[in-house]
Amino acid sequence: MATLTSAQAALDLVARLRTSFDSGHTRSREWRRNQLLALRRMITENERDIEAALMADLGKPAVESQITEIGFVLGEIDHTLKHFAGWMKPQRVRVPAALIPASARVVPEPLGVALIIAPWNYPFQLALAPLIGALAAGCAVVVKPSEISGATSNLLARLVADYLDTSAVAVVEGAAAETGWLLEARWDHILYTGNERVARIIAQAAAKHLTPTTLELGGKSPTFVDDTTDMAAAATRIAWGKFVNAGQTCVAPDYVLVTPSARADLERELVGAVSRMFGTEPSKSKSYARIINESHFERLSALLGSGRNILGGKPDKKTRYFPPTVLADESADSAVMKDEIFGPILPMIEVVDHREAIAFITARPKPLALYVFSESAEVRRDFMNQTSSGALGFNVPLAHMSVHDLPFGGVGMSGSGAYHGKRSFDIFSHAKAVLSKPLRPETLGVIFPPYSRRKASLVTGALRKLS
Ligand code: NAD
């Protein structure tokens, strides 16, 4: 575990990891596999402690922690263990006829020393899922968990130091100051998950060294519902996607756009779904998480006061319990529609039809996720072709995250770059272009000076043909 006391300490740490990376030992397949296996063991041998830390930070129910954090990370590790040797293999590509004889390959190589900066809302998953990719790619790496989820941060620092190769992997705990120190160093890749404001700080720091970044951000993820859907099933999934982790999910349905003929049914079914999941007194439910801290609790409380409250209750500051809340007949210019809600408040806005919904969505920044509950082929096609979002979910929120081969990331203001599965390996790797051509026979004579029109047409013709 590393605690930093100065920018110099951060530079020293990165220099130490760079020396280790430069020694070449993280490049071997064995090292990568051993680290992934050690990470797996670290999790399976400490599941109860991980659940306890997530309970301490977010009141996260153990089963929810298993599904959305621990199980998710184990799934990514297993997928990566199964495939990474194949991902490491050079890929042969065809060469233009003009270059024959020659062979061309794309050779993945580790980028170097990577920095992963994680947020507090899924503090275990969002710190470790990128780490899997960095280890599989053979990088040295620093993970900086969020100070806001302090219990999970402490635990990760202790466990990573116990289980992984400390010459190449470190967890640095701390907040803005420590992260600022880390950002003074030269990194080979920075993966940041969090809000847009800090993303600008990260991007500026990265620009100093022209370091590539993956920015996993947030924003308002809309959900569209019309009357062609099975309303009871749709409402249940929307309620789950919204209220899991007490709404503190980057890809949670932020708000609902509903057509007039679907509105009353959706309202009724949402109320029913929440009561089936959390009972009539969700404050007593063992399946409902808490708000991370007082300042987020107060931020959420300030968002109430508009719309028609069809579901809610009294928030309790002491326990940071914030009830599942649904606000019908919300207006587009209310406070709750301004920024990402990131809590258990679901505003619903009526739209005439899916065209108005699409116009509403495309007039705003591109979302991280967009969900559509409609059986109409035309509606689905129009959302597919006329909107842009990190992900598009038909009939299901959140679940796209669990598909290893789907890119997880945003577009525009919701982020740039994507990871999970092979893409995690790719973002921490450089795809090196390797071309090899025997010196004899000399087939390149035609491109050497002195030039002539005839040479030009011979060469351009041959370049268009692939071997
Ligand atoms: P946060 O406050 O924990 O910040 C994220 C990280 O940035 C932390 O490690 C923190 O220490 C660091 N940080 C904070 N201030 C800093 C500064 N001034 N300089 C350098 N580093 C600093 O988390 P957050 O930003 O509140 O996270 C919530 C946001 O993240 C939401 O917008 C959410 O949608 C988004 N999010 C996105 C994803 C995704 O995968 N796309 C996942 C989870 C959360």
Side-chain angles (χ1 to χ4, degrees), residues 117-121 126 144-148 174-176 179-180 183 192-195 197-198 201-202 216-219 250 296 340 342 368 408 414 419:
I117 304 172
W120 53 265
N121 63 325
L126 296 170
K144 214 299 288 167
S146 176
E147 74 286 4
I148 295 178
T179 315
L183 289 172
Y192 165 79
T193 307
N195 68 67
R197 181 187 61 80
V198 174
I201 297 173
I202 308 292
E216 299 284 337
L217 314 181
C250 57
H296 278 282
E340 177 181 3
F342 221 50
L368 186 57
F408 181 63
S414 57
Y419 71 119

Side-chain angles (χ1 to χ4, degrees), residues 29-333:
R29 204 172 63 197
E30 288 63 41
W31 184 86
R32 304 181 197 202
R33 188 177 142 74
N34 287 340
Q35 292 305 297
L36 289 168
L37 288 170
L39 187 62
R40 191 176 210 298
R41 222 173 35 252
M42 174 188 114
I43 298 169
T44 53
E45 289 177 3
N46 296 280
E47 286 189 53
R48 296 293 91 82
D49 286 354
I50 299 163
E51 288 172 3
L54 292 166
M55 174 58 80
D57 284 331
L58 285 143
K60 207 177 274 221
V63 173
E64 205 168 291
S65 292
Q66 282 292 340
I67 296 169
T68 63
E69 305 242 26
I70 299 168
F72 176 87
V73 172
L74 288 174
E76 275 280 304
I77 295 175
D78 288 347
H79 179 79
T80 305
L81 275 168
K82 190 162 166 207
H83 297 288
F84 84 97
W87 301 339
M88 284 175 70
K89 287 205 179 108
Q91 301 292 318
R92 276 186 92 91
V93 294
R94 295 173 72 191
V95 295
L99 275 182
I100 293 174
S103 72
R105 286 165 298 156
V106 180
V107 180
E109 61 181 23
L111 270 177
V113 187
L115 173 62
I116 293 166
I117 304 172
W120 53 265
N121 63 325
Y122 287 83
F124 182 79
Q125 187 216 124
L126 296 170
L128 295 193
L131 175 63
I132 297 166
L135 295 174
C139 284
V141 55
V142 168
V143 179
K144 214 299 288 167
S146 176
E147 74 286 4
I148 295 178
S149 42
T152 309
S153 174
N154 289 173
L155 183 68
L156 282 174
R158 181 166 64 73
L159 293 181
V160 165
D162 282 353
Y163 283 82
L164 298 190
D165 172 4
T166 52
S167 76
V169 187
V171 169
V172 168
E173 291 198 86
E178 288 81 356
T179 315
W181 294 335
L182 287 169
L183 289 172
E184 287 187 23
R186 180 177 73 78
W187 300 90
D188 297 296
H189 192 91
I190 301 175
L191 185 146
Y192 165 79
T193 307
N195 68 67
E196 189 190 308
R197 181 187 61 80
V198 174
R200 291 172 204 277
I201 297 173
I202 308 292
Q204 271 180 12
K208 249 188 343 211
H209 301 286
L210 294 180
T211 297
T213 58
T214 303
L215 301 174
E216 299 284 337
L217 314 181
K220 289 179 98 60
S221 294
T223 296
F224 172 76
V225 181
D226 71 17
D227 66 1
T228 63
T229 192
D230 172 341
M231 203 59 75
T236 304
R237 290 191 182 176
I238 293 168
W240 165 72
K242 180 72 191 188
F243 299 119
V244 67
N245 204 30
Q248 300 160 113
T249 303
C250 57
V251 284
D254 187 272
Y255 63 92
V256 172
L257 298 173
V258 60
T259 57
S261 52
R263 185 175 60 77
D265 284 351
L266 178 60
E267 287 179 14
R268 190 189 60 248
E269 295 297 347
L270 274 173
V271 172
V274 170
S275 122
R276 280 194 302 280
M277 286 179 199
F278 307 113
T280 46
E281 284 185 79
S283 62
K284 301 208 171 112
S285 168
K286 295 224 177 317
S287 304
Y288 191 64
R290 294 296 182 262
I291 303 305
I292 183 77
N293 62 19
E294 208 174 298
S295 88
H296 278 282
F297 183 90
E298 273 162 12
R299 179 183 62 77
L300 290 167
S301 303
L303 296 181
L304 298 176
S306 59
R308 179 167 49 87
N309 200 322
I310 61 163
L311 191 71
K314 206 172 150 7
D316 178 28
K317 193 166 166 177
K318 217 170 88 212
T319 57
R320 285 180 279 111
Y321 163 74
F322 202 101
T325 303
V326 180
L327 305 172
D329 305 334
E330 195 49 84
S331 80
D333 50 16

